Amino acid sequence: MNVYRLSSRLKVFIFLFSVLQILVLSSLLLIPFIDLPSNSRAYQLYDFCCSSAYLHVILLILIVAAIIVAFLLVINVFKRKVIFTSDSIISKSIFSTQKLIFSDIKGYKIRHSILYIITNSNEKRRLVINLFTFDRTDNLLRNLEMRFTNLDF
């Protein structure tokens, strides 16, 4: 059983970007509680665009939704993996888990550094793997070459 995880550089980048996004958006939630002088530019801009309660609610919902997406990205970075077992290929993330048994796989294609594992039937979806994001993709491609046909040729 081979487990392929996201590369450590990508994990660090997404983690830092998401933490920065969470900090910036959380600080935006503090704006209504800060007292600003009435002649300041920030107060005039805030009064002009966000003076109604309706806009406050929409802005609050959008900021909270963006913070939740950032948390989901951080969790997905550490949960995302592709598992190559003796009889199947499993792709796991927090959003979905997809398992393809070797008998269901017709072959694979590589287009623009994205690996497509094609199934025999239309009932099962193909598996899509971005080769830039995972470590040891050459090992994954070698395992696929030994078991399946390359549909690019």
Side-chain angles (χ1 to χ4, degrees):
M1 176 168 76
N2 295 330
V3 178
Y4 304 97
R5 297 185 185 274
L6 291 179
S7 68
S8 57
R9 284 187 234 158
L10 185 63
K11 282 182 182 179
V12 169
F13 174 75
I14 292 175
F15 181 77
L16 291 177
F17 179 76
S18 297
V19 167
L20 181 66
Q21 180 182 359
I22 290 168
L23 290 174
V24 168
L25 292 172
S26 298
S27 67
L28 288 177
L29 290 174
L30 298 176
I31 287 177
F33 303 108
I34 298 173
D35 291 331
L36 295 173
S38 62
N39 59 353
S40 71
R41 249 332 177 185
Y43 180 77
Q44 291 171 357
L45 181 65
Y46 182 76
D47 190 43
F48 173 72
C49 75
C50 302
S51 60
S52 72
Y54 178 70
L55 290 176
H56 281 291
V57 171
I58 289 177
L59 189 63
L60 178 68
I61 290 171
L62 288 175
I63 289 173
V64 170
I67 290 172
I68 290 171
V69 167
F71 274 121
L72 289 176
L73 276 175
V74 169
I75 293 169
N76 192 41
V77 162
F78 295 104
K79 295 288 183 179
R80 177 81 172 112
K81 59 186 165 184
V82 174
I83 303 169
F84 203 92
T85 64
S86 60
D87 65 342
S88 65
I89 299 174
I90 304 166
S91 174
K92 287 187 175 186
S93 71
I94 63 167
F95 304 111
S96 68
T97 298
Q98 188 175 2
K99 181 177 182 179
L100 288 177
I101 300 172
F102 286 163
S103 61
D104 293 338
I105 297 174
K106 180 179 181 181
Y108 67 95
K109 291 182 182 182
I110 299 175
R111 302 267 189 235
H112 306 290
S113 299
I114 297 177
L115 172 68
Y116 299 99
I117 300 175
I118 311 297
T119 60
N120 288 331
S121 66
N122 291 334
E123 296 172 5
K124 293 206 174 207
R125 294 184 330 175
R126 66 182 179 184
L127 194 68
V128 180
I129 300 169
N130 190 343
L131 295 176
F132 280 139
T133 59
F134 287 94
D135 280 338
R136 302 181 304 132
T137 54
D138 53 343
N139 192 14
L140 173 66
L141 290 174
R142 228 177 293 122
N143 284 336
L144 287 172
E145 287 173 357
M146 289 188 316
R147 291 188 170 88
F148 307 110
T149 60
N150 188 346
L151 300 176
D152 286 333
F153 300 114

